[in-house]
Amino acid sequence: MGAPRNMLSGYVEQAHINDFIFEQQRRTFVTYGYALDPSLDNHQVTAKYIGSVEKAEKNQGLTVFETGQKKTEKRKKFKENDASNIDGFLGPWAKYVNEKDVAKPSEEEQKELDEITAKSQKKGKQEEEKPGEEKTILYVKEMYDCQGVMNQESSCGEVDRLATPKGSGDPVM
């Protein structure tokens, strides 16, 4: 006979584990790839990890419920919160203290943009596209509808009509 078994798959010992600690270690293992070794007693000073020991050392053994990153300082804005000051009030639109207003690209960015435009012109792409005039062509048989009302121009601009007035065979432009 083999080793004593109290289950089909082997020998199971009873253990009492706090639900929170179990869930904490389970989630830490799923998230970071390591957890504290449950076979060791808690009173031992040196903590042994199972899973990715390198990640455990890198994260200093932090669990999912602990934060390893310290809060970074918020960027400071210019303060002018007095709404009664009409000319100087900035409110939530205030700029940051170290914010720069730059409309021109730097020399390196300009070179990169020039290269991109040169490539697109080589491929035959026309970069300068003139905005086209909006134009609508109305194709109807008659200029007047069934109630005798003339078809009106649309609100978006000029309309070219290719309609024939009553009694005439030529289209009207």
Side-chain angles (χ1 to χ4, degrees):
M1 271 204 109
R5 299 192 306 182
N6 61 357
M7 298 280 296
L8 184 61
S9 61
Y11 185 76
V12 177
E13 295 179 5
Q14 286 187 356
H16 300 284
I17 299 175
N18 185 347
D19 290 339
F20 175 76
I21 293 178
F22 176 80
E23 198 58 31
Q24 176 188 32
Q25 293 302 316
R26 185 189 68 80
R27 288 182 183 178
T28 302
F29 186 80
V30 169
T31 305
Y32 297 127
Y34 63 87
L36 286 173
D37 190 357
S39 63
L40 301 175
D41 291 334
N42 290 337
H43 67 276
Q44 292 181 348
V45 177
T46 58
K48 288 198 172 187
Y49 295 98
I50 56 172
S52 178
V53 180
E54 298 85 24
K55 285 186 180 180
E57 291 172 358
K58 179 183 171 187
N59 293 340
Q60 299 172 350
L62 294 177
T63 63
V64 249
F65 297 118
E66 298 170 342
T67 57
Q69 300 174 353
K70 296 180 181 178
K71 292 185 180 180
T72 58
E73 293 181 17
K74 290 188 175 183
R75 294 171 52 186
K76 297 188 179 191
K77 289 187 169 189
F78 288 111
K79 299 275 183 175
E80 187 58 49
N81 295 329
D82 185 17
S84 64
N85 181 2
I86 295 172
D87 294 329
F89 177 66
L90 299 174
W93 303 276
K95 295 184 180 186
Y96 293 104
V97 173
N98 58 353
E99 185 176 359
K100 296 178 184 176
D101 290 336
V102 179
K104 288 186 174 183
S106 65
E107 292 179 13
E108 296 173 5
E109 292 172 342
Q110 185 62 42
K111 288 179 183 177
E112 190 174 324
L113 290 172
D114 291 340
E115 290 175 8
I116 293 170
T117 55
K119 286 180 183 178
S120 66
Q121 288 177 355
K122 283 182 181 178
K123 292 180 181 178
K125 294 182 181 176
Q126 301 265 338
E127 190 167 316
E128 295 179 20
E129 295 180 8
K130 296 179 182 175
E133 297 176 14
E134 291 190 21
K135 208 173 201 183
T136 304
I137 300 175
L138 179 62
Y139 295 97
V140 293
K141 293 182 181 178
E142 297 181 6
M143 281 185 76
Y144 298 94
D145 63 4
C146 62
Q147 296 179 345
V149 178
M150 184 175 177
N151 291 322
Q152 299 291 321
E153 292 183 4
S154 68
S155 62
C156 67
E158 187 179 312
V159 175
D160 287 342
R161 296 182 191 276
L162 292 178
T164 57
K166 288 188 178 180
S168 134
D170 297 328
V172 175
M173 291 292 268

